[in-house]
């Protein structure tokens, strides 16, 4: 999604109580807008996790231990939030 923060209100309307939403974004500006939208709609437990990309050769029958010193710097950020129903009085 080019503007994931616009989808948050639709997810909020579709989710049941305690339902979760996850958004993957390539830049921190999108993460900030998405998390702000989640908080404004009452999502709880809004967190951001950086996801590093590691390439694996799955063509082999046995897996070598990867060289952790040669880490690819490609990254994504994952914004998470839980839909919390607000009881109306």
């Amino acid at each position: 999604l080019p503007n994931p923060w616009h989808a948050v209100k639709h997810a909020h309307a579709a989710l049941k109580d305690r339902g979760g939403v996850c958004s993957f974004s390539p830049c921190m500006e999108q993460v900030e807008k998405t998390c702000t939208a989640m908080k404004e709609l009452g999502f709880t437990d809004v967190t951001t996790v950086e996801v590093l990309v590691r390439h694996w050769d799955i063509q082999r029958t046995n897996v070598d231990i990867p060289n952790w010193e040669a880490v690819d710097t490609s990254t994504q950020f994952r914004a998470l939030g839980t839909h919390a129903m607000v009881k109306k009085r």
Side-chain angles (χ1 to χ4, degrees), residues 50-56 67-76:
E50 183 176 12
V51 181
L52 294 172
V53 175
R54 299 192 195 280
H55 297 279
W56 294 79
N67 178 1
W68 296 112
E69 294 174 3
V71 175
D72 187 343
T73 59
S74 300
T75 189
Q76 282 191 349

Side-chain angles (χ1 to χ4, degrees), residues 9-83:
K9 65 181 174 184
H10 301 290
H12 183 269
L15 288 170
K16 294 181 179 182
D17 187 30
R18 304 301 302 162
V21 66
C22 177
S23 167
F24 284 91
S25 299
C27 64
M28 191 50 69
E29 292 79 11
Q30 286 187 350
V31 173
E32 182 180 9
K33 289 180 181 180
T34 303
C35 289
T36 298
M38 283 193 262
K39 291 175 185 176
E40 287 174 352
L41 286 170
F43 280 83
T44 59
D45 306 322
V46 177
T47 60
T48 300
V49 178
E50 183 176 12
V51 181
L52 294 172
V53 175
R54 299 192 195 280
H55 297 279
W56 294 79
D57 182 0
I58 59 170
Q59 302 302 316
R60 297 181 183 182
T61 55
N62 53 350
V63 178
D64 294 332
I65 297 173
N67 178 1
W68 296 112
E69 294 174 3
V71 175
D72 187 343
T73 59
S74 300
T75 189
Q76 282 191 349
F77 298 94
R78 182 177 74 166
L80 304 167
T82 303
H83 179 273

